Amino acid sequence: MEDSIQQKIVDFLQVGGPVVWILMVFSVVALTIVLLKLWQFSALRAESLKTTNLALAEWRNKSVEGALEILERKRPIDSLVAYSMEALVNGSMTADLIREEVERRAMNLLSELRSFLRPLEIIATLSPLLGLLGTVLGMITAFQQMEGAGNQVDPSVLSGGIWQALLTTAVGLAVAIPVVTLQSWLERKVERIAHNMNDAVTQVFTSPKAKELVEEAEKEILHAA
């Protein structure tokens, strides 16, 4: 049974030609990237807001130590929130400088989360085009055979060549459709994380505790001047 399945796969690849081989490589690369990104998001728990919301509640209650203890620094959102809180408490920078630094760190974290999504987009774009190229090349070959046969054209030979040519388009679409779907889904996850980052950091700066710390820092700066 396994031998027959393997033989069918080999026959399929032989019929499709080099274009199908390339598309199969694309599908393996795309699957590897998707699994890698799923592992990354799962390991970081990048979308989780459980600890963030608890920490923000403590922060609003003016419990700085309680908020910092709850946060898990390996999570992107928690790390930004923790840095914002610590920077405000230390008072070594103005609120504007802290916001700029938080924005820089957020861009770096989002860049890491977006890594390898560009190759997925390229695979999704090229796969149907390669399938169409394979179909065109196959049709050219089929009509060349028909021309060489002269008056003794066998319709079965022509129809066989045509379906073999159309096979590459089907494979190209079969690779492109799920890749487009998964790429869009992963992009949407990154967008949600970016929104949650911005929302959480904004809550840190707009809380009464932050306003109190900013006023104290400004007084110290004026006193030092």
Side-chain angles (χ1 to χ4, degrees):
M1 182 65 178
E2 292 182 358
D3 293 339
S4 63
I5 294 175
Q6 292 177 355
Q7 186 60 42
K8 288 180 180 179
I9 294 174
V10 171
D11 293 340
F12 172 76
L13 294 174
Q14 288 177 346
V15 169
V19 172
V20 171
W21 281 94
I22 295 172
L23 290 171
M24 290 297 101
V25 172
F26 277 8
S27 66
V28 172
V29 172
L31 179 61
T32 302
I33 292 174
V34 170
L35 293 176
L36 176 64
K37 298 306 294 182
L38 290 176
W39 174 83
Q40 181 187 28
F41 285 119
S42 176
L44 294 176
R45 299 184 67 183
E47 292 182 276
S48 176
L49 289 172
K50 182 178 180 180
T51 53
T52 305
N53 291 332
L54 291 174
L56 288 172
E58 291 291 324
W59 177 255
R60 284 190 289 269
N61 292 329
K62 300 184 179 182
S63 175
V64 178
E65 293 182 359
L68 292 174
E69 287 178 0
I70 293 172
L71 294 169
E72 297 185 16
R73 308 300 177 93
K74 71 174 184 177
R75 300 182 184 180
I77 300 174
D78 280 15
S79 66
L80 292 176
V81 171
Y83 172 80
S84 302
M85 292 178 177
E86 290 173 344
L88 286 169
V89 171
N90 293 334
S92 57
M93 293 188 293
T94 64
D96 290 337
L97 288 176
I98 295 172
R99 283 181 178 274
E100 288 185 10
E101 177 62 16
V102 170
E103 183 177 352
R104 185 190 68 82
R105 294 185 177 215
M107 293 298 292
N108 289 335
L109 290 171
L110 291 174
S111 179
E112 292 179 6
L113 293 174
R114 288 193 178 99
S115 60
F116 298 111
L117 293 185
R118 182 63 175 169
L120 278 182
E121 183 180 350
I122 293 173
I123 290 173
T125 302
L126 289 182
S127 293
L129 295 177
L130 279 173
L132 182 60
L133 174 62
T135 295
V136 172
L137 294 176
M139 294 290 284
I140 291 173
T141 301
F143 282 109
Q144 283 179 338
Q145 292 176 350
M146 185 176 66
E147 181 184 13
N151 295 329
Q152 299 178 350
V153 177
D154 187 354
S156 63
V157 174
L158 179 60
S159 61
I162 291 174
W163 82 257
Q164 290 176 4
L166 292 174
L167 178 64
T168 58
T169 296
V171 175
L173 293 174
V175 173
I177 292 172
V179 172
V180 168
T181 304
L182 291 170
Q183 190 259 343
S184 299
W185 177 62
L186 291 171
E187 284 281 4
R188 178 56 185 155
K189 288 175 76 70
V190 175
E191 290 175 2
R192 281 200 300 268
I193 294 168
H195 169 77
N196 291 337
M197 283 180 176
N198 181 65
D199 181 66
V201 171
T202 300
Q203 290 185 60
V204 173
F205 281 91
T206 56
S207 67
K209 181 63 178 177
K211 293 178 181 179
E212 178 184 318
L213 293 170
V214 170
E215 289 175 358
E216 290 178 0
E218 290 175 350
K219 289 179 181 178
E220 291 180 1
I221 292 173
L222 291 173
H223 181 72

